[in-house]
Amino acid sequence: GIQVEQSPPDLILQEGANSTLRCNFSDSVNNLQWFHQNPWGQLINLFYIPSGTKQNGRLSATTVATERYSLLYISSSQTTDSGVYFCAVHGSSNTGKLIFGQGTTLQVKP
Amino acid sequence: DAGITQSPRHKVTETGTPVTLRCHQTENHRYMYWYRQDPGHGLRLIHYSYGVKDTDKGEVSDGYSVSRSKTEDFLLTLESATSSQTSVYFCAISEGEETEAFFGQGTRLTVV
């Protein structure tokens, strides 16, 4: 099945810094989502982005499907950005199954 | 917020007992999913449903069964709970096969 790899696994930032999280996938995809899991365990939808670029406030995401990767940009980070960031994909060959990467754990220090 | 309710939210049970977790949605979405989340493994798909009485296995389906008799409810059953099934379980829904998925609040299950 499709493999999803996220990097880096852990990231520590000072408040106000910018960061880039990466998601690589091993096969073509029909769907890619980014989620934020907050310290209370809730999974929050950030982006649904099978291709192209989207922005939402301080966050933006870019998916280059032909090169099998997606990037999540966080600008001017805040302590509330702390948590785990997951990407998840529907592979073209395993439709119906949303497969997750291992996540990037982000800690933003005040 | 997507209308997804998981019950119970927390449960402690003994090894060997049956356990059923419920996911209820008010969005009339066709697809429903059960995941488990464990440290070091991220979220792994257990089973999913693509319609009433239509289900399929995910990555880690051994020891679990599911049922979907109504569009709004998707049940996950552990026939005989084991300590290795201690985990946080998440339900998700999506309108179509590869459309955006939304997650419930999660159920923390402890098997002692």
Side-chain angles (χ1 to χ4, degrees):
Chain A
I2 193 168
Q3 303 298 314
V4 183
E5 295 184 357
Q6 292 185 241
S7 59
D10 301 283
L11 186 59
I12 301 174
L13 300 175
Q14 287 298 131
E15 200 167 26
N18 303 328
S19 62
T20 300
L21 282 58
R22 187 176 181 102
C23 173
N24 291 334
F25 37 94
S26 61
D27 200 354
S28 58
V29 298
N30 295 330
N31 169 19
L32 187 143
Q33 289 187 243
W34 283 98
F35 297 89
H36 174 216
Q37 187 169 39
N38 63 23
W40 296 271
Q42 186 180 6
L43 281 160
I44 300 165
N45 287 39
L46 297 178
F47 295 101
Y48 170 79
I49 184 168
S51 63
T53 297
K54 291 186 177 180
Q55 182 156 6
N56 184 3
R58 296 181 296 104
L59 275 60
S60 64
T62 295
T63 296
V64 184
T66 53
E67 297 187 19
R68 299 181 183 173
Y69 72 89
S70 183
L71 302 175
L72 178 68
Y73 305 95
I74 305 174
S75 64
S76 304
S77 59
Q78 301 175 357
T79 56
T80 52
D81 294 331
S82 296
V84 184
Y85 289 81
F86 290 103
C87 73
V89 303
H90 274 115
S92 300
S93 60
N94 62 338
T95 56
K97 298 180 180 180
L98 185 64
I99 304 301
F100 278 73
Q102 297 289 325
T104 293
T105 301
L106 173 64
Q107 182 182 0
V108 181
K109 293 186 173 182
Chain B
D1 290 343
I4 309 168
T5 304
Q6 292 187 230
S7 58
R9 294 291 314 280
H10 302 271
K11 186 172 182 66
V12 179
T13 192
E14 293 185 349
T15 299
T17 60
V19 177
T20 296
L21 308 183
R22 180 185 184 228
C23 179
H24 178 77
Q25 60 144 330
T26 58
E27 306 295 323
N28 199 35
H29 282 0
R30 181 182 172 195
Y31 280 75
M32 298 184 75
Y33 309 81
W34 277 109
Y35 288 85
R36 60 178 289 174
Q37 184 176 26
D38 306 289
H41 291 281
L43 281 93
R44 294 180 291 174
L45 181 64
I46 305 171
H47 283 280
Y48 70 101
S49 170
Y50 47 95
V52 173
K53 299 186 180 179
D54 292 323
T55 65
D56 202 354
K57 296 179 179 180
E59 307 166 85
V60 290
S61 59
D62 287 349
Y64 301 95
S65 62
V66 290
S67 66
R68 191 168 178 202
S69 59
K70 300 184 289 185
T71 298
E72 58 265 36
D73 289 326
F74 192 33
L75 304 180
L76 177 70
T77 297
L78 291 65
E79 300 291 346
S80 177
T82 67
S83 58
S84 65
Q85 293 175 312
T86 292
S87 187
V88 179
Y89 291 84
F90 285 95
C91 172
I93 64 172
S94 65
E95 189 171 11
E97 187 171 43
E98 291 159 351
T99 56
E100 189 172 6
F102 297 88
F103 281 76
Q105 300 282 70
T107 293
R108 183 172 296 275
L109 176 67
T110 302
V111 183
V112 298

